[in-house]
Amino acid sequence: QVQLVESGGGLVQPGGSLRLSCAPSGFTFHYYHMGWFRQVPGKEREGVASISVTDGSTNYADSVKGRFTISRDNAKKTLYLQMNSLKPEDTAVYYCVASGYMSIVWQATYEYDDWGQGTQVTVSS
């Protein structure tokens, strides 16, 4: 069974930066898309960013464009989310996701087969 293991969450002040990482452990499956979702209590999970493993094309939620950057090291099979200029409204549990489908609606949770356990990001002074 594939597990996606996230790291890098924590507490940061507004305007600060964090980098999240995600690596699969166990059986290595070929994914076509990987990404990040986030969730705050009482709200639905929100797609933050996605990346095509095949061609590197990316998608971002409007709320994070220009501040967050998704990237992937194919050799290490590790996914990253660089988060800059963080705001209190970015506070959430962030989940790494992966999809084995070639064509997806990137912000739809049902498109992703595998999910990480989540890592807490808190932006507060």
Side-chain angles (χ1 to χ4, degrees):
Q1 183 178 354
V2 177
Q3 284 186 311
L4 300 175
V5 181
E6 300 123 333
S7 61
L11 173 64
V12 64
Q13 292 186 341
S17 299
L18 280 176
R19 188 177 80 157
L20 305 182
S21 300
C22 170
S25 66
F27 177 76
T28 302
F29 183 81
H30 178 73
Y31 298 119
Y32 287 100
H33 302 272
M34 297 188 74
W36 296 91
F37 277 69
R38 66 186 181 186
Q39 188 172 29
V40 297
K43 292 190 176 181
E44 294 186 352
R45 290 184 180 183
E46 171 193 24
V48 175
S50 74
I51 186 167
S52 165
V53 174
T54 303
D55 63 17
S57 58
T58 57
N59 295 286
Y60 294 95
D62 288 344
S63 58
V64 307
K65 279 181 182 177
R67 301 187 297 121
F68 290 11
T69 302
I70 189 171
S71 62
R72 187 173 188 269
D73 184 328
N74 285 342
K76 296 181 179 179
K77 296 182 179 179
T78 300
L79 181 72
Y80 301 100
L81 184 68
Q82 178 66 43
M83 304 185 294
N84 298 329
S85 302
L86 282 161
K87 305 175 181 179
E89 52 263 44
D90 294 317
T91 296
V93 176
Y94 284 71
Y95 297 91
C96 172
V97 297
S99 174
Y101 301 113
M102 291 184 66
S103 179
I104 63 170
V105 177
W106 78 271
Q107 290 179 298
T109 57
Y110 60 78
E111 298 280 22
Y112 298 93
D113 310 292
D114 295 313
W115 292 70
Q117 79 285 357
T119 185
Q120 177 70 45
V121 171
T122 302
V123 184
S124 175
S125 54

